[in-house]
Amino acid sequence: MNQYDVIVIGGGLLGCFTLRALTQYKLSAALLEAREDVCTGISRANTAIVYSGCDTKPGTLKSALCVRSAQRFDTLCRELGVRYSPCGTLMVSFGPKGDETLRRKHSQGLQNGVQGVRLLSGDEVLKLEPNLNPRVTSGLYAPEAGTVNPWELGMAAAENARKNGADLLFNHKVTAIKRTGGGYIIDAGGKTFEANGIINCAGLFADDVFELVSEPLVRIYPVSGDYFVLDTKASGYINHVIFHEPEEKSKGLTLVPTVDGNILVGPSKVSAAGKDDAFPTSAEGLEHLRRLVGDVIPPLPMQHVIRSFGAMRPNPFFVQTDENGVLTRGDKGISDFFVHESDENPNFISLIGIKTPGLTCASELGQHVAARLVERLGFNERNASFDPHRSAPIRVSECAMEERAQLAAENPAYGAVVCRCRGVTEAEIINSIRQQPGAVTVDGVKRRTGAGSGRCQGGFCMQRIIEILSRELGRPPTDIQKDRPGSAIVRGRQHDGA
């Protein structure tokens, strides 16, 4: 039997940062992930914003962690070798209802301790963002905010956790959990594990994991969202993360200048049929985004859209059983972070329906729950060899010409460009596969290197990436998946060339 002091279930941003936080203590820890890689669920498709704390209710755990996280985010990214753009956020309105909302959020931000937040007139907004519709009436500026690459962030946390002694186990979907005298027995991936404590960070499926040991209490009722990605040709049309506060009660527009130089447009808000981690897009949501762009920022060149993608937001609601024994959803959603512990299942902490600002708070929330469980278990001794640092991967496109030449002289693979759009070399792709945890799919390579995320969306480089994955992993090209199981790109029999 595989024995650990603590097991984390779920390898999204929160699971990876919780695992990293646990390695600060002298204990054994492992992460069980149902898929083949980290950050394949909610964490792979989100708006990638680091929020300031103006949007959260004062006095809540969410507000406290959000403000603290925003103020420390630059330091966190430097520790982990992750790119961060502290561009600030600008919420804009176009009428009296939106103006009132901005005044309320300004007051809320001040109560929460957000630094540098201030209200702007319409003219002041246009000086910061001249491409916005000149009808803009007010703005709310928060400098302690920005944007990050969510894949880089989660994978860096996972790498650092592994470096500090944690195990990461993929293709290990948890199917059963049983209480024992001293902890829990977990069935996952055809293996059995024993742990003194469990932290449930299973994202969209955190309620399912919770109900392996408890009666239903909170369930996730997700909503879908759609996004557009604009080519780097559109870079410069916005300078900040922009939130649009609409006059009517509906989802406004969000615009994000990404760390890669693209502009992210979205998300929309559409009803979801259920928990589908394929994250399909909807024509309704994409058309809604186009209409909002025309209202908020008419000059934005939507002809430079290079892709669209879908996402899911894990909305949690309390549930109860009615007089007929039927489980029903409560009327009001849960706005604060839902962190559940009980005497019925000691040393089992569940985080269910963690949504915006989940990315912002992943590190702080991970440390929060890790410290609570460690205290309960009595493992208070610190890991003297814990190292919070992780070296940034080499990105040839960001190197000076002299450095590129030196890299290629030492290893010719650094001179072989595979992805022309992003300037990613063969050596970078090989490194992304060999690192721990490493890429095992085409999208796994994309998330680590950017290869395939540019203007042609892999039209030029995908075949070469498949060849490199096949060679490095020792698998035939027909076994290489684009992303999730069943997404093979190369099909049919292989020929020997005879």
Side-chain angles (χ1 to χ4, degrees):
M1 187 175 296
N2 303 280
Q3 294 183 319
Y4 293 95
D5 293 318
V6 181
I7 282 179
V8 177
I9 300 173
L13 276 160
L14 183 53
C16 291
F17 272 105
T18 300
L19 187 70
R20 178 180 184 250
L22 287 167
T23 63
Q24 296 178 76
Y25 302 92
K26 198 168 183 181
L27 52 78
S28 59
L31 182 145
L32 302 179
E33 165 56 39
R35 288 279 301 273
E36 74 291 336
D37 202 353
V38 297
C39 297
T40 59
I42 299 168
S43 301
R44 87 168 190 269
N46 62 56
T47 324
I49 296 169
V50 177
Y51 288 83
S52 64
C54 290
D55 292 286
T56 53
K57 185 178 178 181
T60 61
L61 175 64
K62 181 183 285 189
S63 287
L65 294 184
C66 185
V67 173
R68 189 160 74 224
S69 296
Q71 294 173 356
R72 298 178 180 178
F73 214 86
D74 189 51
T75 300
L76 174 68
C77 288
R78 284 199 304 270
E79 280 184 350
L80 291 174
V82 171
R83 295 172 296 169
Y84 174 52
S85 173
C87 56
T89 60
L90 184 62
M91 184 174 289
V92 297
S93 58
F94 292 84
K97 290 183 180 178
D99 294 346
E100 176 57 32
T101 298
L102 265 58
R103 287 192 290 270
R104 176 176 57 81
K105 292 192 175 183
H106 176 248
S107 174
Q108 196 166 258
L110 293 176
Q111 289 181 65
N112 288 340
V114 179
Q115 298 179 6
V117 61
R118 58 192 176 98
L119 283 168
L120 306 176
S121 67
D123 288 341
E124 289 173 315
V125 169
L126 290 172
K127 287 179 182 178
L128 295 178
E129 294 290 352
N131 287 313
L132 286 175
N133 191 320
R135 292 189 300 103
V136 63
T137 54
S138 66
L140 177 63
Y141 173 62
E144 288 193 328
T147 181
V148 70
N149 184 313
W151 311 329
E152 283 183 28
L153 186 65
M155 289 167 181
E159 288 178 42
N160 187 245
R162 187 181 181 280
K163 173 186 174 182
N164 283 298
D167 290 337
L168 291 96
L169 303 170
F170 299 106
N171 301 305
H172 279 71
K173 181 179 179 179
V174 173
T175 53
I177 303 174
K178 184 173 68 175
R179 278 276 313 274
T180 66
Y184 298 88
I185 301 293
I186 304 165
D187 292 336
K191 298 177 183 177
T192 302
F193 299 84
E194 187 174 2
N196 296 312
I198 294 174
I199 302 179
N200 170 19
C201 302
L204 278 177
F205 305 96
D207 52 351
D208 298 333
V209 171
F210 175 81
E211 290 174 25
L212 292 175
V213 297
S214 298
E215 292 298 315
L217 175 64
V218 170
R219 281 195 172 172
I220 293 170
Y221 296 86
V223 294
S224 296
D226 303 288
Y227 292 85
F228 286 116
V229 181
L230 274 61
D231 187 25
T232 51
K233 286 182 177 181
S235 177
Y237 272 81
I238 57 173
N239 304 308
H240 308 79
V241 173
I242 297 175
F243 301 114
H244 157 232
E245 185 61 43
E247 284 297 283
E248 68 283 357
K249 189 175 181 180
S250 65
K251 179 74 173 172
L253 185 68
T254 301
L255 302 164
V256 181
T258 73
V259 294
D260 289 308
N262 304 91
I263 292 179
L264 187 64
V265 180
S268 61
K269 185 177 181 181
V270 223
S271 59
K275 298 177 184 179
D276 182 353
D277 64 0
F279 296 175
T281 56
S282 72
E284 170 196 354
L286 294 173
E287 180 56 33
H288 177 69
L289 291 178
R290 286 189 180 275
R291 287 197 302 270
L292 286 179
V293 166
D295 292 340
V296 176
I297 182 166
L300 192 69
M302 294 299 285
Q303 69 269 24
H304 291 322
V305 168
I306 57 174
R307 72 165 301 197
S308 60
F309 66 91
M312 278 203 175
R313 177 188 177 96
N315 281 344
F317 288 81
F318 285 108
V319 293
Q320 62 273 326
T321 304
D322 65 17
E323 63 274 9
N324 298 315
V326 177
L327 200 68
T328 60
R329 188 182 93 172
D331 295 330
K332 192 173 182 181
I334 300 170
S335 59
D336 200 2
F337 288 149
F338 184 78
V339 181
H340 184 269
E341 303 172 68
S342 71
D343 293 333
E344 177 191 0
N345 292 294
N347 306 325
F348 189 111
I349 299 179
S350 283
L351 298 101
I352 304 178
I354 304 300
K355 55 185 180 182
T356 306
L359 178 150
T360 306
C361 300
S363 179
E364 293 290 337
L365 186 52
Q367 291 184 58
H368 175 76
V369 294
R372 285 172 69 157
L373 183 58
V374 164
E375 184 177 5
R376 281 177 171 264
L377 292 171
F379 294 121
N380 294 313
E381 185 177 353
R382 290 279 175 168
N383 176 9
S385 61
F386 174 77
D387 182 359
H389 299 96
R390 171 251 191 192
S391 298
I394 294 172
R395 297 185 181 92
V396 173
S397 63
E398 298 177 6
C399 296
M401 293 305 297
E402 296 80 4
E403 188 178 357
R404 296 187 193 190
Q406 181 63 34
L407 286 168
E410 295 172 358
N411 180 356
Y414 277 113
V417 175
V418 173
C419 173
R420 292 179 178 177
C421 298
R422 294 293 192 192
V424 181
T425 65
E426 181 177 1
E428 292 168 85
I429 293 171
I430 292 171
N431 292 344
S432 77
I433 299 167
R434 292 181 180 177
Q435 69 189 54
Q436 294 296 326
V440 294
T441 64
V442 172
D443 280 2
V445 169
K446 177 177 74 173
R447 291 172 192 138
R448 287 168 172 82
T449 67
S453 66
R455 189 169 305 150
C456 80
Q457 289 292 292
F460 175 80
C461 63
M462 185 180 292
Q463 179 179 339
R464 185 71 185 116
I465 292 170
I466 292 171
E467 291 171 355
I468 297 169
L469 278 163
S470 175
R471 183 188 70 211
E472 290 294 317
L473 299 175
R475 302 177 188 171
T478 50
D479 283 357
I480 302 302
Q481 308 294 309
K482 181 183 183 296
D483 183 26
R484 54 190 287 153
S487 62
I489 301 162
V490 178
R491 299 181 184 275
R493 293 182 300 172
Q494 285 186 268
H495 297 277
D496 59 10

